[in-house]
Amino acid sequence: MYSHLQNHLGEIGFLIHSIRGGSYIGIFLFSMFVSYLIPLPEAVVLILFGYVAKTAHLNIVSVFLLAAAGGIIGDNILYRLSFFGNRYVERFNLKMRRHKLIQYEHLVIDNIGKAIFFLRFITGIRFFGPVIAGTLGARWKKFFLYDSSATLIHAVLFISIGYFYSHRILAVVAETEIIKNILLLSSVFIVGILLSAFSKKEAK
């Protein structure tokens, strides 16, 4: 248990140091590539953005905007690559095809805006919205509107947690497994809502 906690502290400490070292530019770049090229949970990274903003006296509004902008740009890059069938996104496409939500692909098309919005909040599948929107040929304007709205809300929510609870960051780190379970439960809840909506529409 102690060694497990020490590993978390080491990983989180290195990440905080990296973000603080890059300041605003680091926040923007981390937001763009986290969960795509950087194999870390996006929600945890956003919480650390808030912690760094508080402890390094960064402008919190700028942090919100840069994190959201980085996330939006990263999602739009993946959307474009998926739209044109780039080989880089094939691994994301394969992961998506194994997910139970893809059983309702034809209904996702009919509800593409809602799907893009809510999928943004499901932990571990940030790629799902951009990949499915691009693969299914969803209009870019619709994707941009729903993805941008969800990304901004997502960023503000988790960065605020890190900012206002910065004094408890060590406790947060110590309870990493609890946070993962909470995020997993919230993800299951959102998936349940989507599947229920799709199922009802299919029945009709």
Side-chain angles (χ1 to χ4, degrees):
M1 176 69 178
Y2 178 76
S3 61
H4 185 61
L5 174 57
Q6 287 295 100
N7 289 335
H8 278 312
L9 289 171
E11 293 169 1
I12 299 298
F14 175 77
L15 182 56
I16 290 174
H17 179 75
S18 300
I19 296 170
R20 183 178 283 135
S23 190
Y24 293 113
I25 296 176
I27 288 171
F28 176 76
L29 293 177
F30 265 99
S31 299
M32 188 183 300
F33 298 116
V34 69
S35 295
Y36 292 154
L37 298 180
I38 303 172
L40 293 170
E42 186 184 14
V44 173
V45 173
L46 290 172
I47 289 173
L48 293 178
F49 286 168
Y51 171 78
V52 170
K54 183 73 170 184
T55 57
H57 306 292
L58 301 180
N59 184 287
I60 188 61
V61 176
S62 297
V63 174
F64 286 150
L65 295 177
L66 285 170
I72 291 168
I73 291 174
D75 289 352
N76 275 268
I77 290 173
L78 192 59
Y79 164 81
R80 285 295 181 184
L81 291 175
S82 301
F83 190 87
F84 293 109
N86 189 280
R87 286 189 301 173
Y88 167 74
V89 300
E90 186 58 29
R91 66 188 181 96
F92 293 115
N93 205 357
L94 290 174
K95 289 174 68 175
M96 183 183 74
R97 295 290 162 186
R98 292 195 293 266
H99 201 282
K100 60 183 178 180
L101 274 176
I102 205 62
Q103 299 172 18
Y104 299 84
E105 182 172 323
H106 61 294
L107 295 171
V108 170
I109 296 174
D110 295 336
N111 297 271
I112 192 66
K114 294 176 183 177
I116 291 169
F117 184 88
F118 285 107
L119 287 169
R120 194 66 179 74
F121 295 91
I122 299 179
T123 303
I125 59 169
R126 175 189 174 184
F127 66 90
F128 203 107
V131 170
I132 198 170
T135 302
L136 299 179
R139 290 188 300 115
W140 175 77
K141 287 184 179 180
K142 175 172 281 190
F143 169 77
F144 182 81
L145 174 63
Y146 284 97
D147 181 74
S148 298
S149 301
T151 300
L152 180 59
I153 295 172
H154 191 252
V156 171
L157 174 63
F158 285 101
I159 290 172
S160 295
I161 292 173
Y163 186 84
F164 291 109
Y165 292 92
S166 59
H167 59 289
R168 296 195 60 196
I169 193 66
L170 291 180
V172 170
V173 173
E175 296 167 2
T176 299
E177 296 304 320
I178 295 177
I179 292 176
K180 286 181 180 178
N181 290 334
I182 292 174
L183 292 174
L184 178 61
L185 287 174
S186 65
S187 297
V188 170
F189 178 71
I190 294 173
V191 170
I193 292 175
L194 286 173
L195 290 178
S196 176
F198 294 163
S199 298
K200 288 178 181 177
K201 187 161 186 176
E202 185 175 41
K204 290 180 182 180

